[in-house]
């Protein structure tokens, strides 16, 4: 795990109890990671599973972008 990712995870853990929106997106992110991992462990995906995998990846990425926006807001507030 990179130092950047460690620092980001640490910041999330510090803020998660204070920011309900961050908590919601982070919990959803973890749930989607589990679902994606389950699909990636299969040797063969049905067409429906493949579509679901792509949907999960898109939702997960959008959620990650939102998490990064929230963290950016907190970082800006701390440095101001």
């Amino acid at each position: 795990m990179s130092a950047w990712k460690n620092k980001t995870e640490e910041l999330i853990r510090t803020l998660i109890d204070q920011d309900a929106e961050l908590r919601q997106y982070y919990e959803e992110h973890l749930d989607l990671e589990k679902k994606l991992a389950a699909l990636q462990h299969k040797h063969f995906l049905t067409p429906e599973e493949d579509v679901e995998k792509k949907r999960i990846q898109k939702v997960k990425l959008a959620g990650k972008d939102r998490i990064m926006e929230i963290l950016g807001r907190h970082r800006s507030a701390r440095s101001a």
Side-chain angles (χ1 to χ4, degrees):
M1 191 179 291
S2 71
W4 180 85
K5 187 169 181 178
N6 283 339
K7 198 169 190 174
T8 301
E9 289 282 334
E10 185 179 310
L11 181 58
I12 289 171
R13 280 192 295 277
T14 340
L15 298 171
I16 205 160
D17 290 331
Q18 306 165 36
D19 192 317
E21 184 184 18
L22 175 62
R23 181 174 46 256
Q24 174 193 343
Y25 281 105
Y26 187 67
E27 287 173 356
E28 178 183 51
H29 181 80
L30 294 177
D31 183 53
L32 292 172
E33 266 188 354
K34 287 177 189 174
K35 289 177 180 176
L36 193 55
L39 288 172
Q40 289 173 331
H41 281 89
K42 290 188 169 192
H43 294 289
F44 174 78
L45 296 178
T46 65
E48 294 81 15
E49 289 171 328
D50 192 48
V51 168
E52 178 65 1
K53 177 183 167 190
K54 289 175 183 166
R55 185 196 70 78
I56 290 171
Q57 288 172 324
K58 287 179 185 177
V59 172
K60 186 175 169 244
L61 184 58
K64 185 177 180 182
D65 288 346
R66 189 67 188 121
I67 289 170
M68 296 314 292
E69 287 174 26
I70 294 167
L71 294 179
R73 227 180 25 231
H74 283 283
R75 286 183 178 120
S76 294
R78 285 182 174 186
S79 66

